[in-house]
Amino acid sequence: AQSVTQPDIHITVSEGASLELRCNYSYGATPYLFWYVQSPGQGLQLLLKYFSGDTLVQGIKGFEAEFKRSQSSFNLRKPSVHWSDAAEYFCAVGDLNAGGTSYGKLTFGQGTILTVHP
Amino acid sequence: SAVISQKPSRDICQRGTSLTIQCQVDSQVTMMFWYRQQPGQSLTLIATANQGSEATYESGFVIDKFPISRPNLTFSTLTVSNMSPEDSSIYLCSVVSGYGYTFGSGTRLTVV
């Protein structure tokens, strides 16, 4: 069964510092990977996704992520964090290739809460 | 990407009652998904809803507790039945569109 691990429950960075959020996945085939952000009281917003091709993907709000098959990782990065980036971040793997009833299922990691200090 | 309207955005309910959550999508989609996010937790898939067929439930979720309707390709409802305080969560619907997975804004349910 597919699974996602986000090792860091809570990360604190200073505004302007660089950021890397870790994500490791377990999936039997080529994974479809996503990063979502959830601000307090808000829904989920897609930051970026990886389906195939270039392993470095660019997203919204200046975020990028790199898919590393050998490490089963899809870490999210941002070179300079803004106070408005404070939120919870979820990595997810999509079961887009499966047949039957599990088609399209998304499995989420536990989330990483990002706090930004001024 | 698809746009989802989810209602209600929040509700406070008495234990033993039921709440029906609605999701309306601005385009036709084959599958809709319902997730639960318990306080401080990640999202867990409740069920997958196809139009014209019974929903498929994940382990730990049953139809009697979470009945789902999917009358057409743009609409679905999730009912949380016979609620207890343990059902206090955020419930979200989701669809697969060309851009990926889109989520509704969520329903924050508190059971007292």
Side-chain angles (χ1 to χ4, degrees):
Chain A
Q2 62 203 56
S3 65
V4 178
T5 301
Q6 293 179 247
D8 304 306
I9 296 174
H10 197 168
I11 284 183
T12 300
V13 300
S14 298
E15 190 168 18
S18 63
L19 172 70
E20 181 170 30
L21 302 183
R22 296 183 290 165
C23 172
N24 293 98
Y25 67 89
S26 174
Y27 188 69
T30 300
Y32 295 84
L33 296 160
F34 305 82
W35 275 100
Y36 286 88
V37 61
Q38 185 179 40
S39 298
Q42 302 296 311
L44 287 167
Q45 182 180 24
L46 178 67
L47 286 176
L48 47 79
K49 67 183 189 295
Y50 172 77
F51 281 178
S52 64
D54 193 347
T55 56
L56 183 64
V57 294
Q58 303 297 320
I60 62 172
K61 303 185 179 185
F63 286 93
E64 67 177 26
E66 185 171 13
F67 170 61
K68 293 185 177 180
R69 184 186 299 276
S70 62
Q71 299 178 17
S72 298
S73 69
F74 189 56
N75 294 348
L76 181 71
R77 301 193 294 248
K78 186 170 185 178
S80 178
V81 171
H82 188 262
W83 64 266
S84 61
D85 293 325
E88 187 161 18
Y89 292 79
F90 292 95
C91 181
V93 60
D95 191 18
L96 289 179
N97 276 337
T101 58
S102 64
Y103 181 82
K105 171 182 174 180
L106 263 186
T107 300
F108 286 85
Q110 286 301 107
T112 299
I113 298 172
L114 173 65
T115 298
V116 181
H117 281 167
Chain B
S1 62
V3 176
I4 302 175
S5 175
Q6 184 172 342
K7 298 178 181 179
S9 59
R10 61 178 63 231
D11 207 341
I12 301 174
C13 300
Q14 297 290 322
R15 67 178 66 201
T17 63
S18 299
L19 175 71
T20 296
I21 303 167
Q22 301 179 0
C23 274
Q24 178 75 51
V25 189
D26 68 345
S27 59
Q28 294 184 338
V29 293
T30 303
M31 293 186 181
M32 293 183 73
F33 306 90
W34 287 96
Y35 289 85
R36 181 177 72 181
Q37 186 178 22
Q38 294 177 298
Q41 302 295 314
S42 185
L43 286 82
T44 301
L45 182 66
I46 298 171
T48 302
N50 290 335
Q51 190 267 334
S53 63
E54 292 284 331
T56 301
Y57 289 82
E58 297 295 306
S59 176
F61 297 96
V62 295
I63 186 170
D64 290 345
K65 177 66 176 178
F66 298 101
I68 289 172
S69 77
R70 183 81 202 276
N72 57 54
L73 290 173
T74 63
F75 187 78
S76 179
T77 66
L78 169 76
T79 299
V80 186
S81 303
N82 188 25
M83 289 183 286
S84 66
E86 292 70 36
D87 294 318
S88 297
S89 297
I90 299 173
Y91 293 85
L92 301 102
C93 61
S94 175
V95 301
V96 178
S97 64
Y99 191 65
Y101 295 81
T102 302
F103 286 82
S105 54
T107 297
R108 184 178 296 271
L109 170 62
T110 302
V111 183
V112 298

